Amino acid sequence: MSTSVQRASATATLRLLYSQENALNPPLSLPKTAPAEPRQMPLGASSGNAHQSLRSLLVRTNYLRVTKFPKTLYQYEVTLTPGAKSATHVSVSARREKEQVFKGLGKMKGFQDATWATDLNRVWSIAPLWADGSIPTNLEIPYSSQTGFSHVTAGACFTLTEVHKLNDRPLPVEGLNAIVMKHVSDSASGERVHQVGANKFFHKDDRYTINESLTAIRGYFTSIRPVTKGGLLLNVNTCASAFFRPVTVATYLQHNRSGQDQRKRGEQCLAPGQDLVGVLVRIIYDRDPFYAENDPNMDASSIKVITEVGYPNLIEAQRLNADLKVLNVSELSPIRLCVNLGSKTRKEWYHPECLQILPYQPFTKLLQPGKTTSMIKFACKRPEENLDYLRAWGLKLLGINDEKTRSVIRDKLELDIDPKFLEISAARLSPPKISYRDDKKSIQVRDAQWNLAAPEQFPGMHPEITLRLLNIARQPSDAAKLTKLKGFYNEFRSKLVGHGMKVKAVSDPLKSDYISWLPLPAQGCASKFKQRLRPHIGSMIGHGQKTIMLVVLSHQDQDIYAAVKSLADCELGLRTVCCLYDNAIKDGGNRGPLLSNLALKFNFKLGCPTHTIQGLSRLLLLNDTIIMGADVTHPTKGSLAGTPSIAAVVAKACDDQDFTNFVGSMRLQEARTEVIDEIGAMTKERLKAWRSKSPTKTWPKNILFYRDGISETQYNEIWKKEVLAIEEAYKEVTGSPAKLTFVVVGKRHHTRFFPISGQPNGSVKENVPPGVIVDHTIVAPNEEDGSHVLHNFFLQSHCAVKGTGRSAHYVMLRNVMELPEAKLQEITHNLCYAYSPATKGISYCAPAYYADRLCTRGRMYLRLCQDVLGNQGHPEGYTREDQKRWRAKVAKSVASSPEWNPRNADSSRTNPWHPNFDNLMFYV
């Protein structure tokens, strides 16, 4: 292994660049009066199919009508072969080299005046790139490699793969978007625009300083989208992202001590500087050339990618010559970290003071809490503010709010876009009737919320329980704090009784050891704290008692929380609810809502219903339909290599008449895999659990399935692999074909709705009111357009009190149940009020939300598996298949470990939690 450590001369001047980008500029301000839009006739008055009688208000969207577009789009596949001097390379595969190749291509004859764009694998153009039809197979293109050498491609082979007629389906919107974004980047250089990804561009001057090394920049998302009834729309939305500032790596390390800050917030700790891996840096001192034809100080050679940040082997013994003086590397800086710009096998170590981070690189890791607050403050804008930004800057940068620039787009791109945001008609669904008492007396719902401060009794029969309180803090409580804890205990017990729960009477909770204290370690990890916690909780539970435990935490700490939940859920089968100490004993104010919320959680963890949604059973044919939800959560940025993804499936229990008890199944699977591998097996588990609770031991006849977390590009894959797997699982256990209705729940989209002055708006903060539903004009094309989409709609089910509300997007891919569109919309809206811990409508339907929460609980369990993950070694090879096999092996190894599943010796137990929780919704 070749290792070298490099640093500039002690007397050399480091060439810090990008001074303008490093300035601490304030964000751009909006014009005093944003340009107003003329009113237009609303669209879609008769386009939708559902809730025609309820369509009573207008909303403004962030969509623009594409009134003209090219008739034809040509698509070429490009294969790049390096020149003779690159004999060691088998292909031009590195993204930076490809960018250099296509930059050179743009300067060649025939390309300079053509309208074309590329994703570095394909090229799209609105006219043939070679009018005579003679497509070259060995085009020579000059470019620079990552090592700084100048090359000419031995063969750039273009193959015309498709000629798209834009009145056909499916439309090649990917190519159209690439052409639009290339036009923005080329024509808006005077506005200092930076493109990120395929659909986002950021205004370099509209930024906000997060700290000395990070900045937030406002940008705009744009995407041409096909819609129902043919035609195209342009979706434009504001966005914001954190970017690296062009400081030295040493400066960044000084101001971003990720490990310490992550430990404070309970995230998995990154080693110092690991959030810099993959970041581009420039070597900022002059180096001597190794070869006569190679200048190591040119851009292509000075810019490198950080492979790792750490301590070189035997660093105390490594020395280097700097200005004719021998120095020890450890003396160069108090940071004592070096940066590897070579490979894993051939390392080239540089001192962090010699490297400057290139500007406008997105920061993709998790921000620390203080920085997150700054980011939210910059990005979170009220609806009218977002509209003003779109009008004042977004449309300007796109070049469509001025007739002169529009004419350029018309002539060059053959595109014409109406600069007025569409106004469309919408329906508004009324909230369902909510009741708590057995007499079904409904309570008032306003702005999708209701008040539980009054002693509403939870419905159903409640077993007698014993309440215990565990206080986890660094120091034992003094007399005053003990008195407050005792008062809190008694007040909470009274609240439980007031809500109809039976709590065993305790004469003196302190003397009877119903309140206990466990010291919190100064430095802790989940597995070590769990060992200390196990005997302590075991002694409090006792024998033969139905115990519930309220755990009071001194502060938020994910490791401590994970240890509590892993021990209680997986080993002891103990029902626990956690709250913060400051909330529990705060002086003054009304603790009623807090106590009622805690009571809600204990209530459904005892298997009792919380509230009832009247009329939902009638809509669903209760005894015949099982409602299910599924989600996958992936390892957070900075997790250990190979950390598995977590998949979960939840389903309403057969004996749950109130739609508030969704029990689940969980699996680990290969990291970053979105398709659920064992969705069939988990579906069988849920079907068998349903039948076990059925009085007649019958199977459900219908399945209403909500799948969370799927992007539009994955619809076909999910249809082939998950929808068919669910139907096959149902047939295997029941012997009959499944009547499945499968709905994807989308949240990560850029569609926004804005209220229009004079329209009825029962909400707050200028957002559209809860219950607004849109199923026409801007929705995705249906199955007739070549996809599996049968029906889709946007639903604003919650009251957005901060920023601009984001509606959930529901897409039906299967409907063997033959649910009418209006009925599916009403059922989905009602299910948004079925989330047991909340006294409000949530942003998307409860089955998908519950699956997300179960995945989150699984992530807590994984925190106990860090030692297992750390002993998994490395992939045997470097191919994609080698990586895939290794990740699958890691997931299987963790799933079989006692840290994940304490009952792994029992082959029948596939879920990690205690059998006591198999029929309980314990995870929220």
Side-chain angles (χ1 to χ4, degrees):
M1 179 183 296
S2 173
T3 301
S4 61
V5 181
Q6 305 182 36
R7 186 183 190 270
S9 165
T11 59
T13 302
L14 298 181
R15 296 180 282 105
L16 287 172
L17 306 176
Y18 319 112
S19 58
Q20 186 174 8
E21 282 75 7
N22 215 8
L24 303 180
N25 291 354
L28 290 177
S29 59
L30 286 168
K32 292 184 178 179
T33 304
E37 291 182 358
R39 288 301 304 275
Q40 55 185 310
M41 292 298 293
L43 297 175
S46 60
S47 301
N49 298 318
H51 300 297
Q52 287 289 335
S53 60
L54 296 179
R55 186 165 288 128
S56 57
L57 75 160
L58 301 179
V59 294
R60 182 174 285 118
T61 71
N62 58 344
Y63 283 83
L64 306 169
R65 177 74 69 184
V66 180
T67 58
K68 176 186 175 184
F69 46 84
K71 296 180 180 179
T72 308
L73 195 68
Y74 297 81
Q75 178 176 314
Y76 301 85
E77 297 289 337
V78 185
T79 304
L80 300 175
T81 304
K85 292 183 179 179
S86 300
T88 56
H89 299 161
V90 294
S91 66
V92 181
S93 57
R95 182 175 182 86
R96 284 176 55 210
E97 289 193 6
K98 283 187 174 183
E99 289 174 347
Q100 294 295 324
V101 170
F102 281 99
K103 188 179 293 185
L105 181 67
K107 300 176 182 179
M108 298 184 67
K109 183 179 179 180
F111 281 82
Q112 289 178 326
D113 300 324
T115 301
W116 65 281
T118 181
D119 65 353
L120 304 184
N121 293 308
R122 294 168 292 180
V123 169
W124 296 276
S125 64
I126 64 175
L129 291 176
W130 294 272
D132 58 359
S134 58
I135 303 175
T137 57
N138 290 290
L139 188 65
E140 294 186 348
I141 306 172
Y143 73 99
S144 296
S145 70
Q146 293 186 86
T147 57
F149 288 98
S150 297
H151 297 304
V152 176
T153 58
C157 180
F158 286 76
T159 305
L160 180 62
T161 55
E162 290 189 64
V163 179
H164 300 280
K165 301 296 183 181
L166 295 196
N167 56 352
D168 296 336
R169 298 292 178 146
L171 289 170
V173 292
E174 191 174 13
L176 284 174
N177 282 315
I179 288 175
V180 170
M181 290 302 296
K182 185 175 186 296
H183 172 75
V184 172
S185 298
D186 292 345
S187 62
S189 57
E191 295 288 350
R192 293 173 54 76
V193 167
H194 177 70
Q195 181 177 344
V196 174
N199 297 91
K200 292 180 181 179
F201 57 94
F202 291 83
H203 198 306
K204 297 179 180 179
D205 292 328
D206 191 2
R207 60 181 187 241
Y208 174 84
T209 300
I210 297 176
N211 70 355
E212 290 79 359
S213 55
L214 294 173
T215 186
I217 304 180
R218 195 182 328 276
Y220 300 89
F221 168 90
T222 178
S223 176
I224 291 179
R225 301 178 59 81
V227 291
T228 56
K229 308 299 182 183
L232 296 172
L233 296 178
L234 179 67
N235 181 210
V236 186
N237 191 32
T238 57
C239 59
S241 181
F243 290 82
F244 288 99
R245 292 180 60 208
V247 297
T248 64
V249 172
T251 300
Y252 179 85
L253 293 172
Q254 180 181 355
H255 293 101
N256 296 272
R257 299 171 183 173
S258 57
Q260 177 181 349
D261 291 328
Q262 284 182 318
R263 175 65 189 87
K264 288 180 179 178
R265 71 175 187 265
E267 298 291 342
Q268 180 181 332
C269 297
L270 288 174
Q274 291 309 297
D275 43 4
L276 289 173
V277 173
V279 172
L280 290 173
V281 294
R282 181 188 294 275
I283 301 170
I284 54 175
Y285 69 93
D286 291 330
R287 296 171 292 159
D288 295 329
F290 295 102
Y291 304 101
E293 69 272 20
N294 176 41
D295 180 5
N297 300 308
M298 63 184 294
D299 278 358
S301 186
S302 295
I303 297 175
K304 303 282 187 178
V305 179
I306 294 180
T307 306
E308 63 179 316
V309 178
Y311 302 90
N313 293 331
L314 305 176
I315 190 170
E316 297 296 335
Q318 295 186 34
R319 296 175 179 272
L320 57 113
N321 190 301
D323 194 30
L324 305 178
K325 182 173 64 174
V326 176
L327 294 176
N328 191 294
V329 175
S330 63
E331 299 172 356
L332 298 180
S333 170
I335 300 175
R336 301 183 66 183
L337 283 173
C338 289
V339 179
N340 178 18
L341 301 184
S343 65
K344 289 287 188 179
T345 56
R346 188 176 179 85
K347 302 188 178 186
E348 296 179 10
W349 292 99
Y350 288 78
H351 194 273
E353 290 179 356
C354 304
L355 305 174
Q356 185 181 20
I357 300 172
L358 268 63
Y360 306 120
Q361 297 182 81
F363 181 84
T364 59
K365 303 299 188 292
L366 292 174
L367 288 171
Q368 298 162 10
K371 300 181 181 68
T372 301
T373 302
S374 299
M375 185 73 203
I376 293 175
K377 180 180 178 181
F378 173 74
C380 189
K381 300 297 180 184
R382 294 179 294 108
E384 192 59 36
E385 287 181 298
N386 270 333
L387 265 179
D388 289 343
Y389 274 106
L390 289 175
R391 291 165 178 157
W393 293 109
L395 301 190
K396 178 182 179 182
L397 296 176
L398 280 170
I400 58 179
N401 67 342
D402 178 82
E403 184 57 36
K404 182 178 179 180
T405 53
R406 278 183 68 189
S407 65
V408 173
I409 297 176
R410 262 195 305 265
D411 297 339
K412 186 175 182 180
L413 276 64
E414 297 183 16
L415 276 171
D416 195 14
I417 301 169
D418 190 333
K420 296 184 290 294
F421 288 109
L422 292 181
E423 294 178 5
I424 61 176
S425 57
R428 186 181 181 189
L429 303 179
S430 300
K433 293 183 179 180
I434 306 295
S435 62
Y436 279 87
R437 299 177 184 273
D438 289 325
D439 60 10
K440 305 301 181 184
K441 180 181 178 181
S442 60
I443 62 177
Q444 185 179 18
V445 178
R446 177 178 297 175
D447 286 333
Q449 303 175 80
W450 61 93
N451 187 6
L452 194 60
E456 297 286 353
Q457 289 193 351
F458 302 139
M461 300 295 294
H462 294 85
E464 186 178 53
I465 57 175
T466 299
L467 174 65
R468 292 184 180 270
L469 187 149
L470 174 63
N471 179 32
I472 299 178
R474 298 194 186 281
Q475 301 294 332
S477 301
D478 55 26
K481 289 184 177 180
L482 282 174
T483 301
K484 289 182 178 181
L485 281 174
K486 180 178 179 180
F488 174 70
Y489 176 95
N490 289 329
E491 188 178 352
F492 180 53
R493 180 185 171 278
S494 298
K495 179 64 72 172
L496 292 175
V497 173
H499 283 298
M501 302 175 69
K502 300 175 182 178
V503 185
K504 183 178 179 181
V506 179
S507 58
D508 188 343
L510 293 181
K511 184 178 294 184
S512 303
D513 196 28
Y514 282 88
I515 295 180
S516 183
W517 167 72
L518 180 65
L520 183 68
Q523 296 291 332
C525 68
S527 57
K528 292 182 180 179
F529 186 73
K530 181 180 176 179
Q531 296 174 7
R532 299 180 56 186
L533 190 63
R534 184 181 290 109
H536 200 90
I537 288 186
S539 65
M540 292 183 66
I541 295 176
H543 300 282
Q545 298 179 347
K546 191 131 187 171
T547 302
I548 60 176
M549 182 171 290
L550 180 63
V551 181
V552 179
L553 302 174
S554 61
H555 65 285
Q556 290 183 343
D557 188 302
Q558 293 298 312
D559 278 337
I560 304 304
Y561 182 82
V564 171
K565 292 302 180 181
S566 176
L567 179 62
D569 296 352
C570 302
E571 292 192 27
L572 302 177
L574 173 67
R575 299 162 178 85
T576 58
V577 172
C578 297
C579 72
L580 291 176
Y581 179 83
D582 289 341
N583 293 335
I585 66 164
K586 63 181 179 181
D587 296 323
N590 179 18
R591 284 192 298 205
L594 168 67
L595 298 177
S596 290
N597 183 266
L598 294 174
L600 267 177
K601 295 180 180 179
F602 274 129
N603 185 69
F604 62 72
K605 290 188 179 188
L606 289 169
C608 301
T610 52
H611 60 276
T612 299
I613 303 172
Q614 300 180 23
L616 187 53
S617 299
R618 171 184 53 80
L619 284 171
L620 270 171
L621 301 175
L622 177 65
N623 296 326
D624 294 330
T625 303
I626 181 172
I627 308 177
M628 305 179 70
D631 192 19
V632 178
T633 186
H634 302 294
T636 57
K637 295 169 182 177
S639 298
L640 292 175
T643 299
S645 293
I646 303 168
V649 173
V650 300
K652 187 188 79 68
C654 181
D655 56 351
D656 174 23
Q657 306 293 314
D658 301 285
F659 301 88
T660 55
N661 184 29
F662 282 73
V663 294
S665 300
M666 182 189 294
R667 298 290 190 276
L668 298 180
Q669 63 183 41
E670 179 191 337
R672 307 291 175 187
T673 303
E674 186 57 54
V675 176
I676 300 177
D677 293 335
E678 296 190 51
I679 195 167
M682 290 191 281
T683 298
K684 291 178 184 178
E685 286 182 12
R686 295 302 97 223
L687 290 171
K688 292 175 181 178
W690 165 283
R691 188 172 185 268
S692 69
K693 294 294 183 179
S694 170
T696 58
K697 302 301 177 184
T698 56
W699 301 101
K701 295 181 180 178
N702 307 305
I703 302 176
L704 177 55
F705 202 107
Y706 290 93
R707 175 64 159 93
D708 191 16
I710 296 299
S711 67
E712 294 176 346
T713 59
Q714 296 172 312
Y715 289 168
N716 289 343
E717 184 180 18
I718 293 300
W719 195 93
K720 293 175 183 177
K721 295 183 179 180
E722 291 192 8
V723 173
L724 298 183
I726 294 169
E727 292 180 332
E728 183 180 346
Y730 182 91
K731 189 172 183 179
E732 285 183 12
V733 297
T734 67
S736 303
K739 291 185 177 181
L740 169 68
T741 293
F742 189 95
V743 182
V744 171
V745 186
K747 307 182 295 294
R748 296 179 181 177
H749 57 79
H750 288 271
T751 297
R752 300 292 184 270
F753 299 108
F754 307 92
I756 297 176
S757 177
Q759 293 294 304
N761 186 353
S763 187
V764 295
K765 300 295 183 184
E766 304 172 13
N767 275 289
V768 295
V772 164
I773 190 166
V774 173
D775 61 357
H776 61 93
T777 305
I778 64 169
V779 297
N782 56 29
E783 190 177 29
E784 297 176 355
D785 297 301
S787 70
H788 289 291
V789 176
L790 302 177
H791 170 61
N792 65 115
F793 58 92
F794 292 92
L795 172 62
Q796 179 89 8
S797 55
H798 66 297
C799 179
V801 297
K802 189 173 184 179
T804 303
R806 180 185 303 179
S807 305
H809 186 207
Y810 297 91
V811 181
M812 178 193 287
L813 300 184
R814 190 75 155 165
N815 190 21
V816 185
M817 285 178 62
E818 298 182 348
L819 278 178
E821 296 171 4
K823 189 172 183 179
L824 173 65
Q825 294 172 7
E826 188 175 1
I827 290 171
T828 302
H829 183 236
N830 285 358
L831 285 173
C832 293
Y833 289 77
Y835 187 59
S836 292
T839 56
K840 60 183 179 181
I842 55 176
S843 58
Y844 60 103
C845 64
Y849 205 102
Y850 283 133
D852 175 82
R853 300 307 300 163
L854 184 55
C855 286
T856 301
R857 180 57 58 87
R859 189 180 293 173
M860 293 297 104
Y861 300 158
L862 267 184
R863 299 183 76 89
L864 280 296
C865 303
Q866 298 305 300
D867 291 341
V868 180
L869 286 167
N871 294 326
Q872 295 300 315
H874 302 283
E876 295 179 358
Y878 296 96
T879 67
R880 182 173 299 180
E881 288 301 316
D882 291 332
Q883 299 281 338
K884 183 178 178 65
R885 282 193 296 270
W886 179 72
R887 289 194 298 265
K889 178 183 175 182
V890 171
K892 185 176 180 180
S893 176
V894 175
S896 62
S897 69
E899 288 83 358
W900 170 260
N901 186 352
R903 290 168 178 77
N904 63 339
D906 183 357
S907 59
S908 65
R909 296 280 320 160
T910 52
N911 296 311
W913 49 80
H914 194 280
N916 288 357
F917 287 168
D918 282 347
N919 295 309
L920 288 177
M921 194 169 63
F922 63 92
Y923 51 84
V924 291

